[in-house]
Amino acid sequence: MRGLQAAVLFTAVAAAAAPTNCTTRCGDISFEYPFGVEPGCYHPGFNLTCSSNDTRLFMGDGTVQVLDISIPNSTLRVNATAMAFDPADDVQRGVINATTTWRAAAAADDDGGPFVVSRRNTIALMGCNARVDLRGGDRRHSDNLVSSCTAVCPPVGGGDDAAAHDDGDGGDGHTIAIIDAWNGKCSGVGCCQANIMLGYPSYTIQIKQLQEKNLHSFDFQYIAYITDETLNFTEEIAGRIATPAALPATLDFVIRSNSSCSTPANSTAGGECRSEHSFCEDYKGGGNTLLGYSCVCSEGYRGNPYVAGGCHDIDECHSPGYCYGDCKNTEGGYLCQCPLGLTGNASIPNGCYTY
Ligand SMILES: *[C@@H]1O[C@H](CO)[C@@H](O)[C@H](O)[C@H]1NC(C)=O
Ligand SMILES: *[C@@H]1O[C@H](CO)[C@@H](O)[C@H](O)[C@H]1NC(C)=O
Ligand SMILES: *[C@@H]1O[C@H](CO)[C@@H](O)[C@H](O)[C@H]1NC(C)=O
Ligand SMILES: *[C@@H]1O[C@H](CO)[C@@H](O)[C@H](O)[C@H]1NC(C)=O
Ligand SMILES: *[C@@H]1O[C@H](CO)[C@@H](O)[C@H](O)[C@H]1NC(C)=O
Ligand SMILES: *[C@@H]1O[C@H](CO)[C@@H](O)[C@H](O)[C@H]1NC(C)=O
Ligand SMILES: *[C@@H]1O[C@H](CO)[C@@H](O)[C@H](O)[C@H]1NC(C)=O
Ligand SMILES: *[C@@H]1O[C@H](CO)[C@@H](O)[C@H](O)[C@H]1NC(C)=O
Ligand SMILES: *[C@@H]1O[C@H](CO)[C@@H](O)[C@H](O)[C@H]1NC(C)=O
């Protein structure tokens, strides 16, 4: 009787966790539950679309391109479109009047969606004599200043002459001076980049021109990015010949829940952590708000904690960096000793020596 119950239970869990005939690959990107394409294959909000010619993967609604999914890291990378601001229309000197909203995903509404901008990202601005502000929040605090940076283009050759004309001159002399000064780095001249310390589902981006004497105004667009890459301020970019139309950004994915993992008695948290040898970890967003949880394989295991049987023992003996002596893999761990006749610490390279 007990055996039958156990068998029924197991079948129910397996059916919920691993639906058959689910697409797990699109182009050269692999994915698994909680992500999926077909109904029944994904956790709510984790639906993906594979383009009809099967080369590019998109998030749910088909507008945001997915570049990579890492289930162990609970992250995905998206191809985040650049935001352009027209100085003539949008940005006025000294006035913040150019605003746009950046969402982690079209699927993510500010409160309920499963995607949050990872702290690995930056805000970047390409342009001259302007400041970019990044504001973020949740329903309660919607307007926190989260990050900011300023890009200036100092007058070339003295300053008086430069101040004389304020007519949208963006000639090569400036470009080259900017590049020479900063050796290709995006660090405040012509381009700036700043870390994002708090993860929110969406942000407001504002551009404000500096109120300074002796600064040129330039007639090319300001371009802002949220990206996890370090910008290279090349001559092509400075001259607006080849500004990237999109750059990768990292999103964290979260199983939304109102309960903390540390109160499992009657909480719903952890229900998606189906694998043995996995556990539930609270995910707190900006403002330390509990957004839900991630599932993680226990130490000594790796794989997909979201499906039954997804976390596998790591064979440390056949993985680099664990043992430099006699090695024996065990379930969830390993034994590492210096070879017979030697002593020392076999866990460090050349750690074993003759006694
Ligand atoms: C795939 O299809 C889309 C539109 O359906 C098109 O824009 C894209 O160029 C195609 N890609 C390839 C590699 O054929
Ligand atoms: C897939 O995600 C989009 C949002 O990105 C949503 O509007 C749509 O309803 C979802 N589709 C299904 C079948 O859940
Ligand atoms: C996962 O995270 C680690 C550590 O932060 C990083 O080195 C690695 O590149 C990440 N992998 C993916 C696929 O994002
Ligand atoms: C912002 O721009 C709009 C036109 O795009 C204009 O009507 C409005 O007055 C501007 N606001 C400020 C504060 O300059
Ligand atoms: C900038 O250059 C580095 C090193 O070559 C590269 O890893 C990085 O991807 C580049 N960044 C962009 C945005 O292309
Ligand atoms: C990202 O998007 C840009 C603009 O749409 C496109 O040119 C680029 O090829 C995309 N990157 C990848 C890796 O598909
Ligand atoms: C969390 O609580 C809010 C407000 O009570 C509710 O609207 C939301 O659906 C809940 N979210 C989950 C994942 O249970
Ligand atoms: C558990 O449930 C009981 C009764 O429904 C409730 O009073 C209690 O607050 C809950 N505990 C937690 C940690 O949610
Ligand atoms: C051996 O080296 C490892 C890695 O440095 C260290 O963590 C461990 O504590 C050392 N063991 C002993 C017995 O000293």
Side-chain angles (χ1 to χ4, degrees), residues 1 29 295 330:
M1 196 59 211
I29 305 171
C295 299
T330 63

Side-chain angles (χ1 to χ4, degrees), residues 107-313:
D109 62 82
D110 293 358
D111 264 338
F115 303 106
V116 177
V117 177
S118 160
R119 292 161 177 84
R120 207 175 295 177
N121 294 298
T122 64
I123 172 80
L125 176 69
M126 290 176 182
C128 286
N129 308 330
R131 181 179 118 183
V132 60
D133 285 344
L134 189 69
R135 293 177 185 275
D138 50 32
R139 208 180 263 161
R140 277 166 294 165
H141 320 276
S142 62
D143 211 22
N144 304 320
L145 181 61
V146 172
S147 189
S148 178
C149 70
T150 300
V152 299
C153 300
V156 177
D160 287 349
D161 169 54
H165 51 192
D166 196 13
D167 57 3
D169 167 67
D172 281 329
H174 285 275
T175 304
I176 288 161
I178 292 162
I179 298 289
D180 284 353
W182 290 95
N183 200 19
K185 290 196 176 65
C186 177
S187 48
V189 174
C191 180
C192 71
Q193 191 163 19
N195 289 344
I196 300 176
M197 304 302 289
L198 295 168
Y200 289 110
S202 75
Y203 289 98
T204 303
I205 290 152
Q206 299 173 326
I207 310 276
K208 181 186 186 179
Q209 269 193 345
L210 300 182
Q211 277 183 309
E212 284 286 331
K213 284 189 291 180
N214 297 353
L215 287 179
H216 272 278
S217 65
F218 291 82
D219 61 1
F220 39 57
Q221 287 180 319
Y222 295 94
I223 302 177
Y225 299 93
I226 287 184
T227 180
D228 59 22
E229 289 208 351
T230 302
L231 252 71
N232 303 310
F233 194 52
T234 60
E235 199 164 337
E236 288 73 25
I237 286 175
R240 295 299 190 277
I241 297 161
T243 51
L247 285 175
T250 300
L251 309 182
D252 294 337
F253 65 80
V254 189
I255 306 293
R256 295 303 294 257
S257 162
N258 288 330
S259 320
S260 163
C261 297
S262 59
T263 55
N266 51 359
S267 88
T268 54
E272 286 289 315
C273 306
R274 292 196 178 80
S275 180
E276 288 189 316
H277 312 296
S278 76
F279 60 93
C280 159
E281 213 170 56
D282 284 345
Y283 187 95
K284 290 188 174 154
N288 218 24
T289 319
L290 180 73
L291 294 180
Y293 63 91
S294 314
C295 299
V296 186
C297 289
S298 309
E299 198 177 341
Y301 294 84
R302 74 161 67 102
N304 183 352
Y306 298 94
V307 300
C311 294
H312 303 285
D313 175 51

